[in-house]
Amino acid sequence: MAWFLEIFCLLLLALAVSAECTSPAQRKAWHKLTNAEKSAYINAELCLMKTPATLGLRGAKTRFDEFQSIHQLQAYSTHFVGSFLPFHRLMLHAHETALRNECGYIGYQPYWQEQLDAGKFSRASILDPVYGFGGDGSRTTGCITNGPFANYTNSLGPGYEITNHCIDRRINDAISAFSAQSYIDACLAMRDFETAWPCIEGQPHTGGHAGIGAQMGNGVSSPGDPLFYLHHTWLDKVFWDWQAKDKAARVMKVGGTNIGPDFAPGFPPRPASIPKPTGADGDPGKVTTLTHVLNMYGNSPNKTISEVLDIQGAYLCYEYGEP
Ligand SMILES: *[C@@H]1O[C@H](CO)[C@@H](O)[C@H](O)[C@H]1NC(C)=O
Ligand SMILES: *[C@@H]1O[C@H](CO)[C@@H](O)[C@H](O)[C@H]1NC(C)=O
Ligand SMILES: [Cu+2]
């Protein structure tokens, strides 16, 4: 009788688990995509850039801008805090969902395996002018001069400003060395969320942002460069790799302060006209908890941190292909 009950319970458990995430979406490394897959992603991003804004967010003219808004409005409450990785995870998912639902994209969000290009971003194949994001900015104007995004007018940024400008870059190969495997290995070796998160937000996060520079190097307006999504998806994979090393113990772990700094290097100061986000929404105190609310400003439903920690759970359902 006991064995029968046991098998019955196991069956129920298997059903419950499989009902949640049976066929996870495949997020692949950019360099592993076929040229057709690369073009499909780029064309979907171009489509978001042509689709008028619908949410009434400050200064945003297109759907692409509205994702940049989420980041601009909350820069000081989503960096240097425990929600840094969960917040960017949900933002990536919201962007991926918009590409699929609003722009007919049938793939998933790819990531940039930056280790392969660490120390030599200027030669990275992801900057290809045809099957990539175009190259460095001009030394005179700063604007990218080739590639599919060369003529896009950013309406938001730099920083909190609302100005029309080109997508600009200023590649720094020396700083791009922060994306090296050795730094990733150091983060994967951390034992707690409270040490792994700042490690990932440290060198690897800086490598991709400051290595590309200009708009990407701006802590507030960086999603104005479409490379932002490929960079942060890579960091999301690093976070997941860390979680999956001991999934049972780590998948529901979060912590650290929820109070961002008043000022940080690389982050232009917030003007008084933009209200300071509390950063503690849903938390009972000054520590980031599972009930912390991630605000997507209408680009997707808000979610709590507990809902996005498992990428194969009830809300998110994806996995990372190896590079
Ligand atoms: C950008 O504009 C220039 C000048 O009008 C044009 O030659 C080029 O093809 C455009 N590039 C794209 C990707 O639309
Ligand atoms: C999302 O969260 C913010 C902050 O708590 C809240 O002001 C907003 O109303 C929420 N939006 C939705 C659609 O629930
Ligand atoms: Cu960010």
Side-chain angles (χ1 to χ4, degrees):
M1 194 62 193
W3 65 265
F4 174 80
L5 271 178
E6 219 166 281
I7 288 174
F8 184 71
C9 287
L10 279 175
L11 268 175
L12 276 184
L13 190 67
L15 278 174
V17 170
S18 64
E20 298 213 320
C21 179
T22 38
S23 46
Q26 278 284 318
R27 288 191 177 177
K28 301 176 194 167
W30 181 261
H31 69 276
K32 288 289 205 67
L33 300 184
T34 64
N35 285 342
E37 288 171 325
K38 288 175 179 173
S39 295
Y41 180 82
I42 288 166
N43 288 336
E45 196 77 285
L46 286 169
C47 158
L48 275 193
M49 289 174 166
K50 286 189 200 105
T51 307
T54 58
L55 301 171
L57 302 176
R58 175 184 172 272
K61 296 205 174 107
T62 70
R63 290 290 293 124
F64 178 80
D65 300 343
E66 288 181 318
F67 286 92
Q68 191 185 4
S69 290
I70 312 179
H71 196 267
Q72 189 189 43
L73 295 168
Q74 305 180 94
Y76 278 99
S77 55
T78 57
H79 298 89
F80 315 106
V81 288
S83 64
F84 169 74
L85 292 164
F87 165 80
H88 286 83
R89 174 170 285 174
L90 182 58
M91 180 179 170
L92 295 168
H93 178 71
H95 171 260
E96 175 186 61
T97 304
L99 293 177
R100 292 172 56 81
N101 292 355
E102 300 172 42
C103 284
Y105 179 53
I106 56 167
Y108 295 96
Q109 179 64 52
Y111 66 92
W112 175 14
Q113 181 74 358
E114 288 178 31
Q115 296 93 319
L116 302 176
D117 300 308
K120 46 180 185 184
F121 271 14
S122 57
R123 285 176 278 150
S125 65
I126 199 169
L127 303 180
D128 186 272
V130 179
Y131 296 109
F133 293 76
D136 202 359
S138 138
R139 286 292 143 179
T140 49
T141 63
C143 299
I144 56 173
T145 58
N146 63 20
F149 306 109
N151 297 335
Y152 186 65
T153 301
N154 266 160
S155 301
L156 302 181
Y160 288 99
E161 288 181 49
I162 301 175
T163 55
N164 286 342
H165 59 99
C166 62
I167 295 176
D168 54 358
R169 292 186 188 139
R170 194 175 176 86
I171 293 177
N172 184 321
D173 280 337
I175 294 181
S176 80
F178 278 157
S179 296
Q181 186 65 44
S182 55
Y183 293 109
I184 302 301
D185 291 342
C187 299
L188 293 178
M190 295 293 174
R191 305 180 69 113
D192 308 301
F193 178 86
E194 287 84 349
T195 47
W197 136 57
C199 181
I200 297 170
E201 190 173 4
Q203 275 95 350
H205 180 231
T206 304
H209 280 295
I212 292 293
Q215 184 85 300
M216 259 296 270
N218 191 305
V220 173
S221 57
S222 51
D225 186 328
L227 271 175
F228 171 92
Y229 295 98
L230 286 284
H231 169 53
H232 263 279
T233 304
W234 172 65
L235 297 172
D236 188 60
K237 178 177 186 296
V238 175
F239 178 32
W240 179 250
D241 286 346
W242 178 84
Q243 292 178 295
K245 276 177 77 123
D246 187 356
K247 187 173 174 186
R250 293 179 178 177
V251 76
M252 281 296 139
K253 284 279 161 59
V254 74
T257 181
N258 57 23
I259 312 285
D262 286 326
F263 178 74
F267 285 64
R270 180 182 53 83
S273 58
I274 296 189
K276 184 176 182 175
T278 70
D281 195 22
D283 294 323
K286 293 181 178 171
V287 172
T288 309
T289 65
L290 292 173
T291 51
H292 184 104
V293 175
L294 303 167
N295 184 359
M296 292 290 113
Y297 284 85
N299 282 287
S300 86
N302 290 348
K303 291 286 159 187
T304 61
I305 286 182
S306 68
E307 291 174 288
V308 302
L309 283 176
D310 190 350
I311 68 169
Q312 285 144 34
Y315 185 64
L316 301 176
C317 183
Y318 62 85
E319 64 188 4
Y320 283 109
E322 285 309 316

